[in-house]
Each structure stands twice: as C-alpha cells, then as structure tokens.
Amino acid sequence: LHKEYRRQRQMCIRDRALALALAMALAMAMALALALAMALAMALALAMALAMALAMALAMALALTMAMA
C-alpha cells in the first residue's frame, strides 16, 4: 500500500510539472503570435504611409505639369 501511494504521488508531481511546462509553452507561443501580429500591423502601416507619400508626390508632379502647360 505504501509503495502504491508513493508511486501515485510521484506520478501526480510528474503530471503537474508536465502541465506547467505545457502551459508555459502555450503562453510563449501566444506571446510570439502577438509579437508577429504587431510586426505585421506595423509593416502594413508603413506600407500605407509609403503609398500615401507616393500618391502625394504624384499629385504634386501632376499639378506642376498642369501649371506649366
């Protein structure tokens, strides 16, 4: 009886450690996913800003061309 209780206790400790390791891995994966999503959002914002700057430069070039004509 004593050996069975000890074995069950050791298995419980092992299972608890495994569950903690899995929870930590999941938290790290979620943090990585969030960081990647934020990096993608920043890249998209930069692309939009560059597109707007290009559109403004083209509009100014067109306005200058029309003013010279």
Side-chain angles (χ1 to χ4, degrees):
L1 181 64
H2 178 68
K3 288 182 181 181
E4 277 298 314
Y5 173 75
R6 183 177 178 158
R7 183 168 184 255
Q8 184 179 7
R9 184 170 175 258
Q10 287 173 338
M11 288 172 50
C12 182
I13 292 169
R14 183 202 63 204
D15 291 346
R16 192 177 319 138
L18 180 60
L20 179 60
L22 289 174
M24 289 176 62
L26 178 60
M28 289 173 62
M30 290 175 64
L32 178 60
L34 180 59
L36 289 173
M38 290 176 63
L40 178 60
M42 290 175 64
L44 288 174
L46 178 60
M48 288 177 60
L50 289 173
M52 289 177 64
L54 179 60
M56 289 176 62
L58 290 173
M60 290 174 67
L62 179 61
L64 286 173
T65 303
M66 292 179 75
M68 290 182 180

